[in-house]
Amino acid sequence: SMIQDIHPHTYHNEFTPALIEENALILSYDKKSVLIRQDGNSFTLPAASDFSGWKADNFIWLFAIDDRQFFLARRTLPAPEGYAYVPIRYMRYAAPRHLAFASVTGLSLAGWYRHHQLCGCCGQPLQHSKKERMLYCPSCGIMNYPRINPAVIVAVRHENKLLVSTYAGREYTNMALIAGFAEIGETIEETVHREVMEEVGICVKNLQFYKSQPWCFTDTLLFGFFCDLDGEDTLRVDHEELATARWINRDEVPEDVEKVSLTMEMMTLFKEGKV
């Protein structure tokens, strides 16, 4: 399972803004931290009723999970008693999973609303569309939609080995697969070939699309591919992007303890001999 797999709950992102009520759940962010109340191994989100004197125009409707509505606080709210801001990475392993998914998805939308208050062309305040999730400029008509960055996760196989890497200069230090963002004018398959060549200097073949994942920590839509080495297996590592890259055996793949990412799901399939 991954972070978006919240069954039996259902995520509703159809644009059907609701009026805010006292039991609506509130997502308030302070940079990349979110306001929660921790309760042992689980957490809860504040409701509108937790904030004295709250006004509807201080919140933006985001989405619903089941029949519960989620709203974004337009500004960072002071923490009510018992609540605190925690770094968003807490949501990688937090329970309940549907609230963790909501917190990360909300962060992506919060960043978009924060970065699109004025028209980038003429500087006029942007207006909220009533028909779709879109901000438009009443002066020059420019329309802004939430930004989604397509990227690839690539599991390269060679004989009975898997190519893994660790990132250079990043907070995430665990074993990962080759990954990278799509560029303008290329297919997602061409992204796979280019990223593998740029990061480790090898060619690949037999591309097989596996699954996609919304990764809202970085406003990304991930496309997971399995493929095979094509030719020489010597790695020429781009050390600006990667700290290390190497071929490992199935039994060297670490256990997936978080059950949150497409990367680890793909590595686990290889570990179990399923791909």
Side-chain angles (χ1 to χ4, degrees), residues 162 164-166 172-177 246 248-259 263-272:
L162 179 70
V164 297
S165 63
T166 54
Y172 187 79
T173 56
N174 294 357
M175 206 179 282
L177 297 172
R246 61 194 175 97
I248 64 169
N249 295 311
R250 293 184 195 274
D251 60 4
E252 294 177 80
V253 176
E255 293 295 328
D256 184 5
V257 285
E258 292 180 332
K259 300 208 174 352
T263 295
M264 285 307 303
E265 183 168 299
M266 291 172 67
M267 289 171 66
T268 301
L269 285 174
F270 182 83
K271 180 183 183 72
E272 295 171 349

